[in-house]
Structures are given as structure tokens and as C-alpha cells.
Amino acid sequence: MSVSIKTAHEIDLMRESCRLLEIVHDELAKAIKPGISTKDIDLLGEKIIRSFGCVPNFLNYNGYPASICVSVNDEVVHGIPNKHRILREGDIVSLDAGLIYKGYHSDAARTHAVGEISPEAQQLIDVTKQSFFEGIKYAKAGNHLHDISGAIGAYAEKFGYGVVRDLVGHGIGTSLHEDPQIPNFAQKRRGVRLMPGMTLAIEPMINMGRPEVCWLDDDWTVVTEDESLSAHYENTVLITDGEPEILTLTK
Ligand code: MF3
Ligand code: CO
């Protein structure tokens, strides 16, 4: 395993890739309303990405057939947009998006409420987001990668939630998925030592119920085995000499 260290120039390109992706997410967030189809969300996302002269990095990745992963309720990640899948009041929806700018990838996910949702569902969304922030408290040069993993998992488990084990975050740069893998729960080993210039996609996937997941027959959509709700929150993060820079969250 080798973790790439980006040069100052590469970091500038990563920053721009991520800044543009943040705009995509901000625009998609405004479009989330009861009545929109998951396909409409995908088409809008792809249109915005291409309007920047960028390329959606998920499209055709290992055969994935869309630009935005749209995962509703008990769908954890990699939901496939469909014009017949209409969002309804009370749903939660996870949007995972990424793009390529001048050869550099960005990757981020947000989970949104559709109209009014239950307090329990809102707590799941909030805790999933906060687990990311608990994790990146440890995203400092000199610490070890799994310090982040342990902090994410410990926070989410305090609420009785199931931390997904079968999917992980990852390094990112000239490829969408680079070393290292980034689990969202405590590990036996410490993992690589963090160094300035590493760019990492940290992405807790948290279930209201048990941690187990399974794959639908479309070979993509990951769902919770117990059909409980699931939330996802992800940013591309730069390790620096000081505080981490959250490249896909600048505002
Ligand atoms: N954001 C996802 C990840 O981190 C990417 C989805 S893979 C795709 O791995 F194939 F569905 F695009
Ligand atoms: Co990712």
C-alpha cells in the first residue's frame, strides 16, 4: 500500500475540484422536495458538473450507470437513479457525488430530509454528520489513520447506531479510490501515519439499526439488512501541518 502525497500544485487542483463539487451539492440540496424523482436529481447533478467543463467520476465507474448516487431510506449507498422512484414527504435521501477537474477527483456525500421527517430520522442524519467531525479531530499529521476511524465509530455507537463495516472511505487524487482504505470503526492496528499532503475521502455510513448490509439484485444498491434507515456523510479532506482542510466544505 502506498499513500500519495500531493504537491502544492496538485493541492490547488484538488481544492478547485472540491470547491466545484460543493456547489453541485448546494444546488442539489435546493432541489430536494417531495415529488422529485431520483433520476431528476441525477440529471440535474450531471448538468451542473458538465456546466463547469468537468466530468462526473461515478458515471461508468465499474459500470455504475449514473452520475449521482441517490440512496433513499434503508438504502445505504450506491442507489441507482430511476425516473419512477419519487421522493415522498418523510423520506431521507443520501446524495453522493464526485467530479474530475483537470485530472483531479473530488468526492462528497450529504443526507437530506424530504419535507418533514421524524425526530428519530433527523437525529440519525445529525449524528452521522457529527461522527465525521468527531473523526477529523484526529486528522492531523503525526496521528494515525485509525485514530479517525475509532473516533467516528465510538461517537455513532453511543447512540445505539450500527456503523457499516462492509464499506470504507479512501484516499483520493488522480483516481477516485486510492490507498488507504478508511474504516469508520475501531481497528486492531493504528493504520498509516498521517502526513501533510494526503487527501482523504472520509465517509461514515451509519444505520439506525444493525450494522449489517446487503446488495440488491442490481449489484449496486446497498441496503440495511434489517431495513432500518441509513445516513451517509462524506467530505474530501486535506491533511496539513495544522488543522485539516475540509476541501468540499468551505462555507
Ligand atoms: N462516493 C463513492 C465512494 O466513495 C463512489 C461511488 S462509486 C460508484 O466510493 F460507482 F457508485 F460511482
Ligand atoms: Co467516497
Side-chain angles (χ1 to χ4, degrees):
M1 187 193 58
S2 83
V3 181
S4 71
I5 302 295
K6 274 73 179 178
T7 64
H9 176 62
E10 289 182 291
I11 289 169
D12 281 341
L13 297 174
M14 289 292 294
R15 263 198 203 102
E16 183 61 6
S17 181
C18 291
R19 186 186 73 84
L20 294 171
L21 181 58
E22 185 177 8
I23 297 172
V24 174
H25 268 299
D26 290 348
E27 290 303 310
L28 291 180
K30 292 185 213 158
I32 299 301
K33 290 190 175 72
I36 192 171
S37 77
T38 59
K39 183 71 185 171
D40 291 335
I41 297 166
D42 175 51
L43 292 173
L44 176 62
E46 178 169 4
K47 192 172 94 180
I48 301 167
I49 291 168
R50 295 205 189 274
S51 78
F52 298 142
C54 296
V55 176
N57 46 3
F58 298 177
L59 184 61
N60 300 321
Y61 179 87
N62 289 149
Y64 183 76
S67 298
I68 314 290
C69 299
V70 186
S71 308
V72 185
N73 294 337
D74 65 331
E75 297 171 357
V76 180
V77 287
H78 303 168
I80 298 177
N82 182 316
K83 67 175 194 249
H84 302 295
R85 185 77 193 263
I86 309 295
L87 297 184
R88 294 189 310 191
E89 179 103 17
D91 287 341
I92 67 171
V93 63
S94 300
L95 307 183
D96 192 349
L99 59 81
I100 310 172
Y101 169 79
K102 295 189 179 171
Y104 285 81
H105 291 251
S106 49
D107 187 4
R110 307 281 183 257
T111 300
H112 299 291
V114 182
E116 285 242 357
I117 61 171
S118 70
E120 292 79 14
Q122 188 61 53
Q123 180 183 272
L124 176 69
I125 293 174
D126 295 343
V127 169
T128 301
K129 179 173 180 179
Q130 186 58 31
S131 74
F132 165 89
F133 288 99
E134 295 298 320
I136 65 158
K137 288 179 183 169
Y138 296 86
K140 292 200 171 116
N143 283 349
H144 288 262
L145 181 70
H146 295 164
D147 299 340
I148 301 173
S149 304
I152 292 172
Y155 182 75
E157 284 173 356
K158 270 202 305 203
F159 294 83
Y161 294 151
V163 177
V164 174
R165 270 130 173 92
D166 292 349
L167 298 146
V168 295
H170 49 94
I172 181 168
T174 52
S175 306
L176 172 59
H177 293 139
E178 297 186 353
D179 288 336
Q181 296 198 7
I182 310 176
N184 295 302
F185 56 100
Q187 303 294 302
K188 295 203 177 88
R189 297 188 171 171
R190 296 188 297 176
V192 295
R193 211 153 62 88
L194 299 174
M195 288 169 54
M198 289 181 175
T199 44
L200 307 174
I202 300 171
E203 50 178 317
M205 289 151 271
I206 309 291
N207 302 341
M208 195 176 275
R210 306 268 322 147
E212 288 81 14
V213 299
C214 48
W215 272 256
L216 296 187
D217 285 339
D218 64 21
D219 276 343
W220 278 106
T221 312
V222 181
V223 297
T224 58
E225 219 170 78
D226 62 8
E227 299 183 5
S228 65
L229 295 179
S230 186
H232 186 199
Y233 185 79
E234 174 180 29
N235 285 301
T236 298
V237 174
L238 170 69
I239 305 298
T240 75
D241 279 320
E243 293 301 313
E245 196 178 320
I246 309 177
L247 302 180
T248 45
L249 192 66
T250 61
K251 292 185 264 280

